[in-house]
Amino acid sequence: MSETAVGAEAHVAWHHRLWRWACPQGWGPTDVGWTLTIAWECVLIWISIQPSSEPERYPNKFYEFANLKPSEMGDTLAGVFAVLAFVWIIVTVFLQSSELREQRNEFRQQREASQDMARAMAAQAAIFEDEMRGRAEQSAEKQARQLSEVLKSQILAIFSSPPTLIFSNGERLNFNIQTLINKKYSKGSQIKALDTHTLLSHFSEALDKISETSADKSNHPRFPELNAIKSNLKLLTESLEKATNATRLEFRYEDLLVLQNKFGNFLSIR
């Protein structure tokens, strides 16, 4: 690289450094205003050193201006400062426009920040809602399993110790489920291995068989054990309503609702 090119690059770099020192935040309306003001002052100085129109009396325009009448001097100064006033009015307009632009940017940033915060809060609310729903579903599933075990033990107790059914007309009948259902079990362990839904189905089948053999359709059996079964079955279906779909499918929720309605034809809560 030649010495001329190196010198030119150094000169440009010096100008850039000077520019960054003079205007660290860039070129703004105020800088333009001061530049025009200095330029106008330079013009006035140049005019003031020009030869006077009356060279025999004044050496230049400045001395001619200094000897003007007060009214004429005031008019001249008014014209001089009118230019500066016009320049700084324009600068003020640009400054206000820049401030308004910055305010709009700030408002837009605040609006975007508010929208981001609202989205974050909505996401947190959704997460919290999911957590609460998950906890409620877990609690409902736990309660449903406990009620299922209670129902199973109640029906197994009826299998092992058949109660005496008391009909509304006063008749009595030994409620032996194994003798009333079509499915037969040779061992008690087979019955104990059945799930709650199957035991409830056998229980319902036995009640249907009694209802079919009764001539008086209003002559329904009622006794406390059956009332307790119906109460726990209702609690079980209510718990399953709050559980997950997988839990409802596991417990055969729809079938339990059918059994609950069928028990209403036989039982009355007192």
Side-chain angles (χ1 to χ4, degrees):
M1 184 179 294
S2 64
E3 294 181 359
T4 304
V6 172
E9 289 183 358
H11 183 72
V12 171
W14 179 83
H15 276 286
H16 286 171
R17 288 196 296 270
L18 179 62
W19 180 263
R20 287 196 297 270
W21 175 81
C23 300
Q25 296 180 353
W27 188 260
T30 305
D31 301 316
V32 176
W34 283 115
T35 301
L36 293 177
T37 299
I38 294 172
W40 179 239
E41 290 177 353
C42 293
V43 171
L44 292 177
I45 293 172
W46 180 79
I47 293 174
S48 66
I49 63 176
Q50 295 302 308
S52 172
S53 59
E54 299 179 15
E56 65 280 358
R57 297 180 59 186
Y58 310 110
N60 52 42
K61 292 287 186 180
F62 177 77
Y63 285 98
E64 185 178 352
F65 168 75
N67 289 277
L68 290 174
K69 295 178 181 180
S71 60
E72 294 175 349
M73 186 180 292
D75 293 339
T76 303
L77 291 174
V80 170
F81 286 104
V83 174
L84 294 177
F86 176 76
V87 169
W88 285 101
I89 286 174
I90 299 300
V91 170
T92 303
V93 170
F94 277 99
L95 284 174
Q96 292 178 346
S97 175
S98 177
E99 290 177 356
L100 290 174
R101 189 183 308 110
E102 291 177 357
Q103 288 180 355
R104 287 195 296 269
N105 292 334
E106 290 178 359
F107 290 150
R108 183 176 63 255
Q109 292 174 358
Q110 290 177 357
R111 184 175 64 253
E112 292 174 354
S114 299
Q115 292 175 350
D116 293 340
M117 185 179 297
R119 285 192 290 268
M121 292 179 64
Q124 290 179 353
I127 293 173
F128 178 75
E129 184 178 353
D130 291 340
E131 289 179 353
M132 293 299 294
R133 182 169 57 250
R135 292 177 183 176
E137 290 174 348
Q138 290 178 358
S139 177
E141 180 180 354
K142 181 179 179 181
Q143 185 178 8
R145 295 190 185 283
Q146 292 174 348
L147 288 169
S148 177
E149 291 298 321
V150 171
L151 280 169
K152 181 175 180 179
S153 63
Q154 287 177 326
I155 299 176
L156 287 176
I158 294 176
F159 263 97
S160 60
S161 301
T164 301
L165 267 154
I166 303 175
F167 289 84
S168 55
N169 62 358
E171 294 182 3
R172 295 175 178 269
L173 177 66
N174 188 35
F175 189 66
N176 192 332
I177 297 179
Q178 292 211 65
T179 62
L180 295 172
I181 61 176
N182 296 325
K183 179 73 173 179
K184 303 302 179 182
Y185 300 95
S186 59
K187 298 180 181 180
S189 58
Q190 293 178 334
I191 300 176
K192 292 180 180 180
L194 298 176
D195 58 23
T196 303
H197 181 273
T198 304
L199 290 173
L200 286 171
S201 300
H202 289 332
F203 181 76
S204 176
E205 181 185 354
L207 291 177
D208 289 339
K209 189 64 65 69
I210 292 175
S211 179
E212 291 173 0
T213 57
S214 177
D216 186 0
K217 297 301 180 182
S218 63
N219 189 23
H220 299 305
R222 296 180 179 88
F223 62 104
E225 290 82 356
L226 300 183
N227 290 336
I229 290 175
K230 182 182 176 183
S231 298
N232 288 327
L233 181 58
K234 182 179 179 182
L235 293 174
L236 174 59
T237 55
E238 290 176 352
S239 298
L240 290 174
E241 288 179 0
K242 305 174 185 177
T244 61
N245 291 331
T247 303
R248 286 196 287 267
L249 289 173
E250 179 185 350
F251 282 86
R252 288 180 279 186
Y253 171 70
E254 299 295 336
D255 293 342
L256 293 178
L257 288 178
V258 174
L259 291 174
Q260 181 181 345
N261 292 331
K262 288 181 67 175
F263 289 175
N265 297 327
F266 298 97
L267 311 174
S268 61
I269 304 297
R270 298 188 182 186

